[in-house]
Amino acid sequence: MKTKLTTFVGKTFIGALLLSAAPVFAQIIPGNEASTSIRPYHVNVPEEAVADLRQRVLNTRWAEKETVTDRSQGAQLAKVQALVKYWGDGYDWRKAEAKLNDLPQFITNIDGLDIHFIHVRSKNPKSLPMVITHGWPGSVFELMKIIGPLTDPEAYGGKAEDAFDVVIPSMPGYGFSGKPVGTGWGADRIGRAWDVLMKRLGYKTYVSSGGDWGSVVTNRMAAQKPEGLIGIHVNMPATVPPDIAKLLASGSPAPANLSVKEKAAYESLNYLYTKGAGYAGILVTRPQTIGYSLSDSPVGLAAFFYDKFADWTFSGGDPEKSLTKDEMLDDISLYWLTNTATSAAQLYWENNANNFNAVDISIPAAITVFPGEIYQAPKSWAEKSYHKLIYFNEVSKGGHFAQWEEPQLFAEELRAAFKSLRR
């Protein structure tokens, strides 16, 4: 059946956006839309949606100023106001939209859900296919700066034989992918879907990489060991040994027999569990409740995300040192304009587990440790979780959003990580 999905316009837009479980900003080229088809995708957000966002931003009722001089109470009023002022009178969503539309985007249905993805092939016919998964509160925007260095390495200081074909999906409930209408779309199911996607694209062998939720999905894929997945790379590895995990869960001090790096990792995780995981507590237990606020207030959404950008970039709590305002607002605006704050948060509810505790991975695995990551995984722990550790490197800059913050460095790490797996 040949059909064409057109952009929602007029007064029907807002209601359709709130009710639809599928992307609504697509212009999909007519063609065979059977369940396994791959359809070109083009983003075109209606102007009234952009204008509505701007008006909501300008009508913000602000919270009172924090009563401390640091970030201990959360995102600081002056910082959020500066970001939001620019959002209301300087930021241009159309530039973000153009960046997306400059890349080959597609939609395909996997296991009953439409999946949006970017697919950029290298000109090198011997390039290594790779699926890269974003995290929360990120999106495909956090990965777009590494596409050039990976697919065209010669233009970025690499060699032709370093090239990758890059596939970047939007996770279910995120961005322009469909929103699950029932339970079950956790990291395991996403991992299986990514294997279907890579094979649907014609790749017989491929590698996988990710940070944050991307690391979780990549680890699950490695545990599933689908035919054709020959190796993984993660920058938020799951390495905490069971005995250490029990001590952390009980709030105990670090044991005396830990090495310097193991103790540093212990202290970082102890801080996260005792003081830094409030956001996760509500997302894991009450994503629907927090979703009402994040879906109704653009400034509430921006403040919630900005707080994590401040925590997790390698910036000393000042994310503008790592990311531009435009980059942060591209990501925040994507969540707002697709109304995916709630559906994205539901992934935490689906995956109510500790994603730092040791995994049991037996396929080739590579790890890069960034200094601004939530914790710096010690090699001694990593070797017990990733039994075929083919690459482990500690770098001097970059944080939790390493692909976004340090794209050139991250691309160099992926080239080195997978060098031994090229054929």
Side-chain angles (χ1 to χ4, degrees):
M1 178 178 67
K2 292 186 177 182
T3 63
K4 182 177 180 180
L5 176 64
T6 56
T7 306
F8 283 96
V9 294
K11 295 181 180 179
T12 62
F13 167 74
I14 297 298
L17 176 59
L18 293 174
L19 294 173
S20 176
V24 297
F25 302 136
Q27 292 177 339
I28 299 177
I29 296 175
N32 180 7
E33 298 190 12
S35 62
T36 60
S37 66
I38 296 172
R39 296 158 280 157
Y41 189 87
H42 183 86
V43 179
N44 184 16
V45 175
E47 183 56 35
E48 70 175 83
V50 179
D52 174 72
L53 168 58
R54 186 175 296 112
Q55 190 61 48
R56 287 170 181 259
V57 166
L58 294 174
N59 289 341
T60 299
R61 183 176 72 170
W62 288 100
E64 60 273 15
K65 187 178 186 297
E66 62 277 2
T67 59
V68 294
T69 58
D70 56 22
R71 295 185 53 249
S72 61
Q73 292 182 350
Q76 294 168 297
L77 180 62
K79 289 283 192 178
V80 177
Q81 284 182 326
L83 181 70
V84 168
K85 182 180 185 301
Y86 178 67
W87 203 9
D89 61 23
Y91 173 75
D92 184 356
W93 163 255
R94 297 304 176 191
K95 291 181 179 178
E97 193 173 81
K99 285 188 286 187
L100 285 166
N101 289 330
D102 281 345
L103 295 167
Q105 299 176 86
F106 304 90
I107 290 283
T108 193
N109 191 281
I110 301 176
D111 199 10
L113 197 69
D114 276 351
I115 299 297
H116 163 264
F117 63 98
I118 296 167
H119 183 200
V120 182
R121 294 183 185 270
S122 170
K123 62 184 178 181
N124 182 350
K126 295 184 178 180
S127 58
L128 180 61
M130 176 166 54
V131 58
I132 313 175
T133 310
H134 65 82
W136 179 96
S139 64
V140 295
F141 276 118
E142 70 174 292
L143 303 177
M144 286 167 55
K145 291 195 289 185
I146 63 175
I147 294 174
L150 292 174
T151 58
D152 187 14
E154 290 179 285
Y156 295 85
K159 299 178 181 179
E161 58 265 30
D162 293 330
F164 294 86
D165 282 3
V166 173
V167 179
I168 303 176
S170 295
M171 289 193 297
Y174 286 71
F176 300 110
S177 281
K179 301 177 184 179
V181 295
T183 61
W185 272 102
D188 283 309
R189 192 171 179 181
I190 296 171
R192 290 192 294 270
W194 284 187
D195 180 60
V196 171
L197 174 61
M198 295 303 283
K199 287 169 179 167
R200 189 172 293 178
L201 292 171
Y203 295 123
K204 294 181 179 179
T205 60
Y206 65 95
V207 295
S208 179
S209 178
D212 192 82
W213 278 115
S215 288
V216 179
V217 170
T218 297
N219 284 333
R220 300 293 176 85
M221 293 179 73
Q224 292 163 2
K225 294 191 284 191
E227 184 178 359
L229 178 61
I230 61 174
I232 66 167
H233 172 274
V234 291
N235 48 292
M236 192 190 81
T239 68
V240 181
D243 58 329
I244 300 298
K246 289 180 181 179
L247 292 173
L248 282 165
S250 68
S252 301
N257 63 342
L258 297 183
S259 69
V260 172
K261 289 186 176 180
E262 290 170 348
K263 184 176 181 181
Y266 190 101
E267 296 299 345
S268 294
L269 288 167
N270 187 55
Y271 175 83
L272 174 70
Y273 297 164
T274 58
K275 296 182 179 180
Y279 78 98
I282 193 166
L283 294 179
V284 165
T285 60
R286 290 294 186 272
Q288 191 69 23
T289 301
I290 189 66
Y292 296 119
S293 298
L294 301 180
S295 298
D296 185 62
S297 169
V299 173
L301 178 69
F304 198 55
F305 282 17
Y306 183 84
D307 193 42
K308 304 326 295 176
F309 295 153
D311 278 346
W312 293 345
T313 50
F314 189 48
S315 65
D318 187 4
E320 287 86 353
K321 292 180 179 178
S322 296
L323 302 170
T324 67
K325 282 186 170 67
D326 282 292
E327 287 171 338
M328 289 186 279
L329 289 172
D330 287 348
D331 182 68
I332 296 166
S333 298
L334 178 63
Y335 277 80
W336 177 264
L337 292 168
T338 56
N339 194 23
T340 50
T342 304
S343 55
Q346 286 166 348
L347 182 56
Y348 280 80
W349 184 91
E350 289 282 356
N351 193 81
N352 187 359
N354 187 310
N355 295 316
F356 300 103
N357 289 350
V359 290
D360 183 15
I361 303 299
S362 60
I363 72 169
I367 292 171
T368 302
V369 177
F370 289 88
E373 185 52 85
I374 291 174
Y375 86 115
Q376 287 69 57
K379 189 175 183 180
S380 57
W381 290 0
E383 290 171 331
K384 297 175 183 177
S385 297
Y386 300 87
H387 307 304
K388 291 184 180 178
L389 191 63
I390 59 172
Y391 183 83
F392 184 93
N393 191 34
E394 298 171 326
V395 295
S396 61
K397 55 185 178 178
H400 185 69
F401 304 99
Q403 300 96 323
W404 212 2
E405 300 173 65
E406 300 291 343
Q408 177 67 20
L409 173 60
F410 196 89
E412 291 169 358
E413 283 298 297
L414 288 179
R415 294 174 197 161
F418 291 124
K419 193 172 189 65
S420 65
L421 298 183
R422 291 183 182 271
R423 298 173 181 174

